[in-house]
Amino acid sequence: MDARIASIYRHPVKGFTPERLTAATLEAGACFPCDRLYAVEDGPSGFDPAAPGHISKMKFTVLAKIPAVAKARTAYDEASGVFTARAEGRPDFAGDLRSDVGREGLEAWLADLLDGEITGPLKVIEGPGAHRFMDSKSGYVSIVNLASVRDLGQRLGMDLDPLRFRANLYVEGWPAWVENDWTGKTLTVGAAAATVLKPIVRCAATHVDPTTAERDVELVKALFDNYGHMFCGIYVNVTQGGAVTEGDGLTVG
């Protein structure tokens, strides 16, 4: 199959705006770089930075729980630690998430934006060391097949924004849904190599239009009704580090 990386994204703060990249360097056994570094608790989550473990996404400000999160347009400067956010009708925010002042500023800005939809109090937390706030315990790097997204959209009679699926890599050139049968297979991605862990089971986050911040279609139900599963995309574990760039090829072993 002649497949290629169509686009690359990271999500520095869990639940918020995907940031497009032209390239990234994957590391063996690690999550996608600068992905889900931070999360925003909606009330105490039970997360212990001294013994970091997996926490349900429903403890955080995420689309599956609070569609209005998509009203924020955010960006993260990895070098400075500065996170910026804007939303219609509100002043822009900018703050260093490595500092107490920056985190408290974002908490206050989001509390205003999400007023009436949070249980709170909001608290920005950072993953210590290599810990990342992934949806899955084994969700190191996520890949979505654009043909699968298009096929689902055709079944529903609508164009689906692939960013609903919040992947790291979006791939063009694979037949629709072929990736569902690849658990255990090896994958060469640019200069890196990976093992396919499992298909990604989808949740209500995909129901939210990332542009309008409205729940407009029940994609989990649509997946099951049309295909008998709730998958879209795959999780992979990087076994050999290397650079990946838009346009790079992918091969399946």
Side-chain angles (χ1 to χ4, degrees), residues 56-71:
S56 167
K57 60 176 165 282
M58 300 306 284
K59 298 288 187 178
F60 304 112
T61 55
V62 293
L63 296 172
K65 181 180 181 182
I66 308 171
V69 165
K71 292 180 180 178

Side-chain angles (χ1 to χ4, degrees), residues 116-174:
E117 301 191 49
I118 57 176
T119 55
L122 301 184
K123 182 179 180 181
V124 178
I125 58 175
E126 181 179 5
H131 183 81
R132 298 293 179 264
F133 296 101
M134 313 304 290
D135 285 352
S136 169
K137 293 179 182 179
S138 57
Y140 299 100
V141 176
S142 58
I143 302 177
V144 159
N145 178 1
L146 289 172
S148 299
V149 176
R150 284 194 297 270
D151 187 69
L152 176 59
Q154 288 166 4
R155 299 286 184 102
L156 296 174
M158 63 185 295
D159 291 329
L160 292 176
D161 186 342
L163 296 186
R164 287 178 185 260
F165 298 94
R166 302 185 65 79
N168 300 128
L169 306 177
Y170 292 88
V171 175
E172 198 68 88
W174 290 337

Side-chain angles (χ1 to χ4, degrees), residues 80-110:
S80 67
V82 172
F83 186 72
T84 58
R86 58 184 175 83
E88 186 176 351
R90 288 171 173 78
D92 293 350
F93 167 82
D96 185 349
L97 295 188
R98 300 172 301 185
S99 72
D100 290 342
V101 171
R103 291 191 294 271
E104 290 167 4
L106 178 57
E107 290 158 10
W109 190 88
L110 287 173

